[in-house]
Amino acid sequence: MLFEYAQKAIEKAVYKQLDNGTWFAEIPGFPGVWANGRTVEACRKELWGVLEEWIILKLRDRESIPKIGGVTVRIREVTVA
């Protein structure tokens, strides 16, 4: 589920080549999730890592994670008897 969620988020990424030839990418609706790289592929890999960290922090802090492409990430409370 997390991989599918991240993959759908990465598909929404917006890339832009900067004046210095490097690439910048961000995912609209995911504040703070952005990356920079020498190539598009390097930028995408960095963006994937930033997104993973962002998801982990949101889960840790029990903050909501936006639904994307029909996929939702939620934490369910489990009680042990």
Side-chain angles (χ1 to χ4, degrees):
M1 171 182 61
L2 287 176
F3 179 82
E4 181 183 1
Y5 181 85
Q7 190 170 23
K8 289 195 179 295
I10 289 291
E11 289 172 3
K12 301 289 185 188
V14 177
Y15 296 84
K16 177 181 178 182
Q17 189 169 25
L18 303 177
D19 290 340
N20 65 3
T22 63
W23 288 85
F24 173 83
E26 62 184 340
I27 304 174
F30 290 70
V33 179
W34 60 271
N36 184 270
R38 295 184 73 175
T39 65
V40 168
E41 184 60 22
C43 186
R44 187 193 67 75
K45 286 181 181 179
E46 179 68 21
L47 186 64
W48 191 279
V50 172
L51 177 61
E52 287 177 337
E53 291 174 6
W54 184 87
I55 292 169
I56 290 167
L57 289 173
K58 291 288 188 180
L59 291 172
R60 183 196 71 187
D61 295 343
R62 298 189 179 275
E63 294 181 17
S64 64
I65 298 174
K67 183 177 181 178
I68 187 162
V71 180
T72 304
V73 175
R74 289 184 297 235
I75 295 178
R76 278 192 246 161
E77 294 292 328
V78 177
T79 56
V80 179

